[in-house]
Amino acid sequence: MIKIVLFALISIAILPAKPTVKIKHKYYNISVTSLSTLANTLNEVSPVISGQKVYHAKTISDVKWKFYTLKYQGKCEISQVKIWVNIQYILPRLTNKHATNEVYSVWDKWHNQLVLHEKGHANLAINTAKKIEEKLQKIPQSKSCKKIEQKANRMGEKLLAQLKRANVTYDHKTKHGETQGASLKSYL
């Protein structure tokens, strides 16, 4: 019986990290009839503003973790880790039915690339959550559960800081999606 339980615990420890991911979409509506007004209208109605710069989309990610410790024979270890990632996309939605075919054609090409760029941000958050889970599962035993808890939380916070830098680097390398076709000016 002890061998079966021990095997089950070892098997759980080597399972790949699989965070719970929840995705929400928040849209802002845009209505244009011609291609000549598309960029200006998007800039006027977009809720995504950073400093003086208007962006047409944004991905907000929130990574949370919870772990449980188990103390047995004077040694404490992390027995279970749970990770959640909440992703919210803020995206434009073309709502009018009287736009020209040219508007729909440009919109479809551009919007698909915009979504692709934003999914890159989401993937960074999901991959960070997996890293947090993997790292927390590998924390060695200690006599003090409090020390393990402190180490685990420091490790998670460090990885979240790396995620923040990774998002900045991703936007810098892609010029906020321009190199991925997510810049509307490429289609106008």
Side-chain angles (χ1 to χ4, degrees):
M1 181 67 169
I2 292 175
K3 288 181 184 179
I4 293 171
V5 171
L6 187 57
F7 176 74
L9 288 174
I10 291 170
S11 298
I12 289 170
I14 58 174
L15 288 174
K18 186 151 172 87
T20 300
V21 179
K22 292 184 181 177
I23 297 175
K24 289 183 182 177
H25 293 82
K26 182 178 178 182
Y27 295 100
Y28 63 94
N29 295 332
I30 178 164
S31 179
V32 295
T33 54
S34 69
L35 207 51
S36 63
T37 60
L38 181 57
N40 286 339
T41 304
L42 265 168
N43 289 338
E44 289 171 8
V45 300
S46 175
V48 184
I49 301 168
S50 179
Q52 299 294 320
K53 183 89 169 135
V54 175
Y55 296 96
H56 298 144
K58 182 175 184 174
T59 301
I60 300 167
S61 62
D62 184 32
V63 179
K64 300 282 186 202
W65 61 90
K66 184 174 186 171
F67 54 89
Y68 301 91
T69 55
L70 176 67
K71 194 159 192 173
Y72 181 71
Q73 293 183 345
K75 292 192 178 185
C76 188
E77 66 183 3
I78 292 178
S79 61
Q80 184 181 15
V81 178
K82 293 184 179 185
I83 305 284
W84 298 270
V85 184
N86 293 312
I87 305 286
Q88 181 182 39
Y89 295 112
I90 300 172
L91 296 163
R93 177 172 43 205
L94 188 59
T95 58
N96 62 315
K97 295 180 172 98
H98 303 294
T100 64
N101 287 339
E102 192 178 34
V103 169
Y104 286 118
S105 176
V106 166
W107 182 271
D108 288 342
K109 291 174 193 170
W110 165 72
H111 196 267
N112 287 337
Q113 297 310 114
L114 182 67
V115 170
L116 180 72
H117 172 76
E118 294 306 319
K119 284 184 178 181
H121 285 291
N123 288 335
L124 289 171
I126 292 165
N127 289 335
T128 296
K130 289 177 182 179
K131 285 180 194 172
I132 291 171
E133 185 173 356
E134 290 166 1
K135 295 243 185 216
L136 295 188
Q137 289 174 342
K138 291 179 181 177
I139 291 176
Q141 292 180 336
S142 172
K143 290 182 181 179
S144 168
C145 286
K146 186 172 184 161
K147 284 185 180 180
I148 285 183
E149 291 168 9
Q150 290 170 343
K151 184 175 184 174
N153 286 321
R154 276 194 313 269
M155 194 176 291
E157 293 299 332
K158 181 179 175 183
L159 289 167
L160 286 183
Q162 289 175 7
L163 169 61
K164 189 174 183 178
R165 290 190 299 274
N167 276 309
V168 170
T169 300
Y170 175 66
D171 275 336
H172 180 73
K173 284 183 177 179
T174 65
K175 298 181 180 178
H176 288 275
E178 189 174 332
T179 63
Q180 299 166 299
S183 173
L184 183 60
K185 66 183 177 184
S186 320
Y187 300 91
L188 300 177

